[in-house]
Amino acid sequence: MKAIIAEKTGGPEVLEFKPDHPVPTPKEGQLLVKNNISGVNYIDTYFRTGLYQSPKPEILGREGAGTVAAIGPGPNPFNFKVGDRVAWLTTGGYAEYTAVPADRTVRIPDGINDEDVIASFLSGMTVLSFSRETYPVQKGDWVLLHAAAGGAGFLMTQLLKTVGAKVIGTAGGPEKVALVESLGADVVIDYRSEEGKDWVKIVKEVTGGQGVDVVYDSVGKDTWEGSLEAVKRKGTIVWFGNASGPVPPIALPKLSPKCVKIARPTLFGYIETREELEYYVNELFSLLKSGQLKVKIHKVYPLEQVAQAHRDLEGRKTTGKLLLKHE
């Protein structure tokens, strides 16, 4: 099969295309899925660079959609059949075939195509769980959302407006600002503009000097101090990404003056059980089918061009989701 192997940590150049990599054999509790579409996520770059530890060589990619090609030996508690259309969450998506745990795999209902599923699967469940559990966003809450035009931000802006929150989004450049405005955000700050460089001041002005109830910050190093300034007394900051580098160690007394709560969640902690996974999957599929949640696909790359996809993502040249197509 065709696969992309990261032999070692490093830049996008470590992603090597292999036209004749062996197809994995599914073990007990696994399915072999012939992938149609795989997602490219910022977390893939963290594993590639070594910011997050993982054994090398490895096939990156945390999600995919396709059809069941074979079922591993032993019990089949979820009654999967060869030919079922499925989506999965594990590792090994940058390949034509992936052996995936059956309990991390779900059937895709009729009426939703593979592209829309993977444009919202990992990212959509992430923002659903963070806005329901990490900080349960209520109607009327002021929310500051960094990178509001990105893969997760695009979906989260819509979800926040669905519950009636007041959204302040940050984005880089007029095109991204226009996109976030089109999603219904109440205020959009272009952090690249002269005025937008002082985004904390704008947030304070918009909220009557109070600050926001919650900050969702996937940028990290460049924004963490401003996020602490922009949150209101007794507010919450949710750090969930490192697009500009990780948040440095924070002295806990920094949180004391405003009684600030901080969280550093990951989706996988919210969907550990099958019941939790199905809850968020069903919620996501329902939002997609009803049209309440719209996806934006930046580009669909052939598998061989995954290194370019990483460059585009890290260069902040993208809005919405990057997908890989397996021909």
Side-chain angles (χ1 to χ4, degrees), residues 43-55:
I43 196 170
D44 301 346
T45 71
Y46 305 155
F47 285 111
R48 190 203 74 224
T49 60
L51 179 65
Y52 291 178
Q53 296 299 306
S54 57

Side-chain angles (χ1 to χ4, degrees), residues 31-37 64-70 81-88 96-98 108 114:
L31 309 170
L32 182 68
V33 175
K34 185 178 194 304
N35 296 312
N36 176 35
I37 293 288
T67 52
V68 175
K81 297 178 181 66
V82 170
D84 280 351
R85 279 180 70 223
V86 294
W88 56 262
E96 281 186 288
Y97 290 88
T98 311
I108 299 173
D114 292 357

Side-chain angles (χ1 to χ4, degrees), residues 3-309:
I4 302 289
I5 313 294
E7 298 279 358
K8 58 188 178 185
T9 58
E13 69 281 353
V14 303
L15 300 171
E16 293 183 41
F17 176 67
K18 305 277 188 184
D20 52 2
H21 194 71
V23 174
T25 303
K27 302 181 176 71
E28 185 170 333
Q30 290 187 326
L31 309 170
L32 182 68
V33 175
K34 185 178 194 304
N35 296 312
N36 176 35
I37 293 288
S38 302
V40 178
N41 293 288
Y42 233 106
I43 196 170
D44 301 346
T45 71
Y46 305 155
F47 285 111
R48 190 203 74 224
T49 60
L51 179 65
Y52 291 178
Q53 296 299 306
S54 57
K56 300 288 183 289
E58 77 171 316
I59 299 175
L60 297 171
R62 311 283 287 185
E63 60 182 340
T67 52
V68 175
I71 296 165
N76 180 12
F78 307 109
N79 297 313
F80 284 109
K81 297 178 181 66
V82 170
D84 280 351
R85 279 180 70 223
V86 294
W88 56 262
L89 285 173
T90 180
T91 57
Y94 293 3
E96 281 186 288
Y97 290 88
T98 311
V100 301
D103 67 356
R104 300 284 90 188
T105 306
V106 297
R107 290 177 185 83
I108 299 173
D110 292 340
I112 312 176
N113 65 40
D114 292 357
E115 287 85 352
D116 286 356
V117 169
I118 299 303
S120 61
F121 198 53
L122 190 146
S123 306
M125 286 194 284
T126 296
V127 298
L128 270 169
S129 59
F130 292 2
S131 60
R132 299 277 174 88
E133 293 197 61
T134 314
Y135 174 90
V137 179
Q138 307 296 315
K139 184 177 181 180
D141 280 350
W142 275 108
V143 180
L144 172 60
L145 174 62
H146 288 299
F154 180 86
L155 300 173
M156 194 166 212
T157 303
Q158 297 174 70
L159 289 175
L160 293 170
K161 291 312 299 178
T162 299
V163 299
K166 293 179 282 193
V167 178
I168 303 171
T170 68
E175 184 190 343
K176 291 185 178 183
V177 166
L179 175 67
V180 180
E181 286 174 342
S182 75
L183 300 172
D186 299 81
V187 179
V188 188
I189 301 169
D190 181 355
Y191 63 81
R192 288 185 183 163
S193 71
E194 205 50 50
E195 184 193 16
K197 283 177 185 169
D198 196 356
W199 51 267
V200 175
K201 180 174 171 231
I202 298 170
V203 170
K204 287 285 186 64
E205 285 171 357
V206 167
T207 57
Q210 297 294 301
V212 292
D213 296 277
V214 61
V215 183
Y216 287 99
D217 187 340
S218 62
V219 176
K221 186 171 74 116
D222 290 352
T223 51
W224 75 272
E225 287 180 289
S227 292
L228 272 170
E229 282 184 66
V231 75
K232 78 175 192 183
R233 184 175 63 86
K234 300 194 283 187
T236 300
I237 301 176
V238 181
W239 279 300
F240 67 103
N242 318 276
S244 64
V247 175
I250 293 173
L252 286 177
K254 276 186 93 75
L255 310 178
S256 301
K258 293 197 288 187
C259 301
V260 172
K261 295 183 284 293
I262 60 172
R264 183 60 174 85
T266 172
L267 166 66
F268 299 99
Y270 289 126
I271 56 167
E272 210 162 277
T273 69
R274 180 70 186 185
E275 185 182 21
E276 289 169 330
L277 174 64
E278 288 185 355
Y279 171 81
Y280 281 115
V281 163
N282 292 337
E283 186 78 7
L284 178 65
F285 287 169
S286 166
L287 288 164
L288 287 173
K289 286 187 88 165
S290 70
Q292 283 182 282
L293 189 64
K294 294 180 170 52
V295 304
K296 179 171 175 59
I297 296 166
H298 170 74
K299 187 175 175 182
V300 181
Y301 298 77
L303 181 64
E304 299 91 304
Q305 290 180 18
V306 69
Q308 186 58 49

